[in-house]
Amino acid sequence: MSNEIYDIPQSRLSHLPVQLLYVTKSKYDKDWHSTNHTHHFTELLYITKGKGAFIFSKEEIPVKEHDLIIINPNVEHTEKSGADHPLEYIALGIQGLAFSSPDNPGQVTFYNYKNEQEVYLFYLQQMVEEVENQKEDYELIIQDILEILLLKMMRKKAFNLEKTSTQKISKDIAFIKNYIKQNFRENINLDTLAEASHINKYYLAHSFKKLVGVSPIEYLIQTRIRESKILLETTDYPISNISTITGFSSQSFFAQSFKRETNLSPSRYRNAKNSNKNKTKNQKATKET
């Protein structure tokens, strides 16, 4: 019989000063587009499938399966999916830490974990499973998994973790903003948001407006309008279809909301954008001749 005992030394390290705000699993389809946005916290995106591009600071970086993208707070960015290989990814919202690297001092960092995919995908999928099932003490489990994931990443890659200011958007408001981003096509009202976040709806409405500057419902409408602009510019869908796709209860409410935000009706907005595109094409053709 063989028996080996390994003594575990007393660790001098404490828990990482990090708080997990959300875990999401996203998949692109033809009617889903990400718009330019920022976070008051760090976001990690792990590409599980597909190809596309990550856009920030006027740069467009190709991304593929098993790429990890680390976006530090307050960086405006968006993702673009390839048509033939739609993007799928798992995203984590993390408050309390930012990432820095001697080789890449910028606000966005890219790594590829193809060779270690089994390790990192295991932890990420465990987190998704925990938040989907929400069994007893799942919050503690996903927080611990996050710390394990970050420590394993630090073993492999030369980056540092830096504390960020505590004067950031609250966990509850960050959750609501992300919930709206992921579900804006659905029938959402203040009661829906209160139930999803387990917050009193009156406290939610007051806190959200104080921190974000608009009410939760106005933020929802703004998100829908941003999406509708993309569809008006890039598709020939009828306006009635676009109002339905983006979650508006009726075409008339869509038109009213759109005009309030842009001072144009949806049809005039589309015509103006098409006119600008045609002018650009004509100018380009003239230069070439």
Side-chain angles (χ1 to χ4, degrees), residues 36-38 54-57 74-78:
N36 279 331
H37 59 283
T38 61
F54 186 86
I55 303 166
F56 71 103
S57 300
N74 304 313
V75 178
E76 187 170 291
H77 63 280
T78 189

Side-chain angles (χ1 to χ4, degrees), residues 61-114:
I61 309 296
V63 293
K64 60 186 182 302
E65 199 170 337
H66 304 302
D67 277 352
L68 175 75
I69 309 161
I70 302 172
I71 308 108
N72 278 335
N74 304 313
V75 178
E76 187 170 291
H77 63 280
T78 189
E79 308 89 47
K80 184 169 71 175
S81 178
D84 298 331
H85 303 280
L87 278 179
E88 297 182 31
Y89 58 79
I90 296 172
L92 310 179
I94 303 172
Q95 183 168 284
L97 290 177
F99 292 73
S100 65
S101 167
D103 299 327
N104 188 359
Q107 293 297 296
V108 179
T109 309
F110 298 83
Y111 297 113
N112 184 270
Y113 284 98
K114 182 177 180 179

Side-chain angles (χ1 to χ4, degrees), residues 23 29 43 45 49 69 75 81 89 112 131 136 139 149 160 165-166 175 192 200-201 203 206 223 234 254 260 285:
V23 180
D29 58 44
E43 186 174 59
L45 290 180
K49 197 173 181 180
I69 309 161
V75 178
S81 178
Y89 58 79
N112 184 270
V131 296
E136 185 178 1
E139 303 99 324
L149 183 64
N160 301 313
S165 170
T166 57
F175 173 86
T192 309
N200 177 278
K201 68 178 182 179
Y203 174 76
H206 171 76
T223 302
T234 61
F254 167 53
R260 188 175 69 246

Side-chain angles (χ1 to χ4, degrees), residues 253-269:
F253 182 52
F254 167 53
Q256 177 188 352
S257 302
F258 194 95
K259 190 167 186 178
R260 188 175 69 246
E261 289 288 326
T262 65
N263 292 322
L264 292 172
S265 67
S267 58
R268 286 192 173 183
Y269 180 88

Side-chain angles (χ1 to χ4, degrees), residues 17 59 84 123 139 169 230 238 248:
E59 290 189 67
D84 298 331
Y123 288 118
E139 303 99 324
I169 193 165
I230 294 173
F248 285 95

